[in-house]
């Protein structure tokens, strides 16, 4: 049986147990303060095998309400989200996003969109030119708005026992994705998200992250970190974690070298500036 919510042991564990799962080290002293919200966030794992069971009524709307409760730069609310339930459309998106079968498998796919078209409409309605829409900072604000909204929604879905995985593959062929979703000029799919109940026959574990002291700087950026020993230890942890999931035992450093050592590894995303300009974004105003 693979339908319905899954009660994850990690999701019910203490903050300190989740710390050990995430970092592979003893938790700090004094112990971390307990928080049901933080526990849910720390128990996150990407899901790539889904049950076909539909989402309960109202969960999508609750997640979007959570998304709209995220912070927004200057309250521009420069994002939209496209909910895709249709199986044939999800299958087409799966192919455009790199042949990722779980997109077609999950009952819901969400495209999180940086959306300046709505603000442009405000300018037209009031007969005002809005040169600020052509500034790089405005585009970045829209991307951040979309990302913050998506993460709030992800946390909401997981609180209902659902699983999610982000899909950066929507940026492989952004114009084709825009055509499939009917996006107007001035919009761009920042990321996708597949949502559904995790398939119990394909359990996943918490993925190790870099040690916290590597990313947490106090007062000023410490250029002395990360130390080579820190990265080597993390590489080994991630290699072992992947092997335990029957995945290629590749370290973080190996993955990053492969990802960034050849632009071909970006699968089309290297031409993103060209695509964005074709989709109505100037990005070159002072």
């Amino acid at each position: 049986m693979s339908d319905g919510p899954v009660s994850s042991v990690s999701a019910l564990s203490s903050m300190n147990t989740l710390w050990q799962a995430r970092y592979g080290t003893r938790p700090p002293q004094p112990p971390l303060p307990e928080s049901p919200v933080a526990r849910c966030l720390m128990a996150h794992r990407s899901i790539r095998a889904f049950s076909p069971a539909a989402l309960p009524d109202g969960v999508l709307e609750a997640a979007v309400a959570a998304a709209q409760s995220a912070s927004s730069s200057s309250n521009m609310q420069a994002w939209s989200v496209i909910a895709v339930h249709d199986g044939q459309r999800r299958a087409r998106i799966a192919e455009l996003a790199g042949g990722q079968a779980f997109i077609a498998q999950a009952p819901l796919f969400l495209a999180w969109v940086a959306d300046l078209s709505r603000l442009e409409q405000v300018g037209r309605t009031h007969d005002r030119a809005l040169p600020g829409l052509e500034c790089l900072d405005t585009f970045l604000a829209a991307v951040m708005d979309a990302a913050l909204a998506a993460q709030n929604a992800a946390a909401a879905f997981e609180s209902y026992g659902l699983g999610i995985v982000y899909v950066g593959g929507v940026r492989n062929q952004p114009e084709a994705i825009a055509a499939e979703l009917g996006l107007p000029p001035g919009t761009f799919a920042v990321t996708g998200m597949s949502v559904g109940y995790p398939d119990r026959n394909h359990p996943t574990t918490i993925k190790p992250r870099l040690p916290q002291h590597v990313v947490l700087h106090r007062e000023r950026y410490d250029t002395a970190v990360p130390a080579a020993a820190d990265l080597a230890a993390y590489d080994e942890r991630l290699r072992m974690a992947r092997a335990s999931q029957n995945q290629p035992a590749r370290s973080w450093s190996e993955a990053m070298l492969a990802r960034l050592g050849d632009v071909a590894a970006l699968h089309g995303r290297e031409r993103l500036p060209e695509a964005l300009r074709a989709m109505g974004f100037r990005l070159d105003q002072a």
Side-chain angles (χ1 to χ4, degrees):
M1 180 177 178
S2 59
D3 292 350
V6 178
S7 296
S8 166
V9 173
S10 295
L12 302 176
S13 298
S14 70
M15 294 281 292
N16 292 291
T17 301
L18 289 167
W19 174 286
Q20 286 189 290
R22 186 63 74 189
Y23 297 115
T25 60
R26 291 183 178 180
Q29 291 297 324
L32 299 175
E34 290 295 329
S35 160
V37 174
R39 281 202 306 273
C40 184
L41 293 172
M42 289 176 67
H44 166 75
R45 70 285 310 279
S46 293
I47 303 299
R48 293 181 175 85
F50 294 92
S51 157
L55 275 63
D57 291 343
V59 169
L60 172 60
E61 291 77 11
V64 174
Q68 290 194 275
S69 299
S71 298
S72 172
S73 180
S74 299
N75 199 33
M76 287 192 296
Q77 303 177 69
W79 65 273
S80 292
V81 60
I82 315 297
V84 180
H85 298 276
D86 181 75
Q88 292 183 342
R89 191 179 306 279
R90 284 188 282 107
R92 291 193 296 270
I93 291 171
E95 288 305 307
L96 292 172
Q100 301 189 77
F102 61 79
I103 298 174
Q105 180 189 52
L108 175 64
F109 179 81
L110 299 174
W112 296 94
V113 175
D115 188 352
L116 299 184
S117 69
R118 186 163 49 242
L119 295 169
E120 186 177 11
Q121 181 180 2
V122 172
R124 289 196 305 269
T125 299
H126 293 273
D127 197 25
R128 286 283 304 276
L130 299 177
L133 285 177
E134 299 179 353
C135 293
L136 176 60
D137 182 72
T138 305
F139 173 74
L140 290 176
V143 170
M144 288 187 291
D145 271 12
L148 292 170
Q151 186 56 28
N152 262 28
F157 284 128
E158 291 180 338
S159 76
Y160 287 109
L162 294 156
I164 69 99
V165 62
Y166 282 101
V167 182
V170 297
R171 300 190 300 277
N172 291 5
Q173 302 183 62
E175 299 102 325
I177 288 289
E180 181 64 53
L181 297 176
L183 300 183
T187 60
F188 164 66
V190 174
T191 188
M193 180 187 290
S194 290
V195 185
Y197 287 114
D199 185 339
R200 297 179 185 178
N201 296 318
H202 297 86
T204 58
T205 59
I206 291 175
K207 181 182 290 185
R209 294 292 198 230
L210 287 164
Q212 191 172 105
H213 68 265
V214 171
V215 302
L216 174 61
H217 302 259
R218 299 185 186 274
E219 309 302 337
R220 291 172 58 85
Y221 195 103
D222 184 357
T223 57
V225 297
D230 290 326
L231 293 183
Y234 176 63
D235 279 342
E236 183 59 24
R237 279 202 66 227
L238 188 58
R239 188 181 290 113
M240 293 176 61
R242 287 178 58 85
S244 71
Q245 292 284 293
N246 297 315
Q247 298 174 343
R250 185 169 64 169
S251 72
W252 181 74
S253 293
E254 290 168 339
M256 295 305 100
L257 292 172
R259 169 77 176 187
L260 302 174
D262 185 346
V263 294
L266 296 177
H267 303 293
R269 299 180 215 181
E270 69 277 8
R271 56 174 294 276
L272 195 54
E274 172 190 340
L276 287 170
R277 289 187 174 92
M279 296 166 70
F281 296 96
R282 287 284 299 276
L283 311 181
D284 57 0
Q285 298 299 302

